Amino acid sequence: MLFCSLPRLLFAGKEIIVQSPDGKIEVSIDLTNKLSYQVRYNGKNIIQPSAIDFILNNGERLSDDLEVTKKNTKAINEIIISPVPEKRRAISNNYNELTIQFRHPYSLLFRVYNDGVA
């Protein structure tokens, strides 16, 4: 696995932005009131702000207390060799990853590729 330069990560108040390696895709995570994200491609919204939440068995919501304890980013640029016969044997795996750890025992992970978001 090869790590390259750190991904562009911006903090604006309670908003965190991470971009694809080529800078065309941008994911914005908003921690202001409710946990939400949106995706832009070349500055145009392609996914409007969308809530991320779960209601737990005890009635609490994961978004009730959005206290962030840790943010971690890494840039991945590696080649994966396909174990199954395919058109391409060597597959490029290039993305920027953001992990947000919350005070509650859970974390949220985003991967931003040049051709999509996970």
Side-chain angles (χ1 to χ4, degrees), residues 3-89:
F3 292 90
C4 64
S5 64
L6 287 178
R8 182 170 174 223
L9 184 65
L10 304 172
F11 303 100
K14 289 205 157 207
E15 180 180 48
I16 304 169
I17 296 171
V18 63
Q19 292 183 325
S20 60
D22 65 5
K24 292 181 179 180
I25 298 177
E26 179 179 278
V27 176
S28 173
I29 300 96
D30 187 1
L31 304 166
T32 308
N33 295 322
K34 299 238 179 215
L35 181 60
S36 66
Y37 76 101
Q38 68 179 8
V39 180
R40 291 182 209 77
Y41 179 76
N42 283 333
K44 294 184 180 184
N45 283 341
I46 58 171
I47 297 179
Q48 297 298 324
S50 302
I52 302 172
D53 209 348
F54 284 105
I55 299 175
L56 306 174
N57 285 337
N58 63 6
E60 286 185 35
R61 293 178 175 269
L62 284 181
S63 66
D64 282 345
D65 182 5
L66 295 177
E67 183 180 332
V68 175
T69 58
K70 185 178 177 184
K71 296 178 211 83
N72 186 39
T73 60
K74 60 182 167 180
I76 304 296
N77 188 7
E78 63 186 1
I79 300 295
I80 300 171
I81 304 302
S82 176
V84 179
E86 198 175 303
K87 206 180 343 181
R88 297 175 300 163
R89 180 162 165 73

Side-chain angles (χ1 to χ4, degrees), residues 87-103:
K87 206 180 343 181
R88 297 175 300 163
R89 180 162 165 73
I91 301 168
S92 175
N93 190 33
N94 186 16
Y95 61 89
N96 290 329
E97 181 177 278
L98 166 68
T99 304
I100 305 170
Q101 180 68 47
F102 294 93
R103 184 179 59 81

